[in-house]
Amino acid sequence: MITSWPTLAQEVFACERCRLCQTRTNVVLGEGNLHASLMLIGEGPGQQEDLTGRPFVGAAGQLLDKMLAAIGLTRDQVYICNIVKCRPPHNRVPEADERAACMAYLRQQVALVRPKVIVCLGSTPARELLGEEVRITRDRGVWHLRKGVWFMPTFHPAALLRDEDKKRPAWMDFQAIRDKLKELGVDNA
Ligand code: URA
């Protein structure tokens, strides 16, 4: 059953489905245009996100904003969220049971937003949504059509901050995302 945003928010903000609730400061549900054509999904909140309750506000988020701007988009035109809504301690990769516990929320977000294009930022969302066999360096930039939605795995912006060589392929991916939105007749995501 499709929920409503207030019901989903109420449920997520009170969530105790996994151990991450014990160490979080804030739940980070997601933000942006609730009817966006483009949804971007990261791994999980980092320190700044945990402190503010907002996704992608730290250094990686600032780079993501620049990449969106480079294809003519602002944060309020797209919807941004994560696989897990609570920060894993020390920014470790979320465990399988933590990801599984949070998946129902992501499914509801997708059902409410109804994006045409979903960008998986890094290997955690790419594997969770497209299959465990995905290797981000090998498989980034490839489109997958699932249930009428176009999925693209690309590098996580934090990876671009660590390795300059990833910036060029990531830029190609963002250009492909812009082209896909255009092809789908989307004016402002
Ligand atoms: N990295 C993520 O994957 N998500 C955020 O919200 C911030 C950093």
Side-chain angles (χ1 to χ4, degrees), residues 64-75:
L64 181 61
D65 287 349
K66 283 190 197 156
M67 295 166 78
L68 287 170
I71 57 166
L73 296 173
T74 61
R75 277 176 90 99

Side-chain angles (χ1 to χ4, degrees), residues 42-46 49 55-56 60 82 156:
E43 176 174 293
E49 292 76 21
F56 282 98
N82 285 298
H156 190 287

Side-chain angles (χ1 to χ4, degrees), residues 52-160:
T52 57
R54 299 181 55 210
F56 282 98
V57 289
Q62 285 164 26
L63 179 56
L64 181 61
D65 287 349
K66 283 190 197 156
M67 295 166 78
L68 287 170
I71 57 166
L73 296 173
T74 61
R75 277 176 90 99
D76 5 309
Q77 288 174 300
V78 304
Y79 189 80
I80 305 180
C81 61
N82 285 298
I83 292 289
V84 295
K85 314 304 187 208
C86 299
R87 183 190 183 199
H90 312 292
N91 299 345
R92 64 163 170 73
V93 175
E95 310 268 357
D97 63 327
E98 296 160 353
R99 301 194 304 265
C102 230
M103 262 315 276
Y105 300 140
L106 182 63
R107 279 202 200 93
Q108 292 178 52
Q109 287 174 297
V110 172
L112 287 165
V113 175
R114 301 181 67 233
K116 293 182 175 163
V117 174
I118 293 181
V119 173
C120 301
L121 298 168
S123 73
T124 298
R127 288 183 181 173
E128 196 65 33
L129 303 177
L130 296 171
E132 278 303 314
E133 68 287 355
V134 172
R135 297 289 172 269
I136 200 74
T137 304
R138 184 190 63 193
D139 301 327
R140 52 143 279 277
V142 177
W143 287 109
H144 302 253
L145 184 60
R146 300 276 165 91
K147 294 187 189 164
V149 180
W150 288 96
F151 287 76
M152 152 87 78
T154 189
F155 290 126
H156 190 287
L160 310 182

Side-chain angles (χ1 to χ4, degrees), residues 10 12 67 104-105 167:
Q10 199 178 27
V12 178
M67 295 166 78
Y105 300 140
K167 284 193 174 165

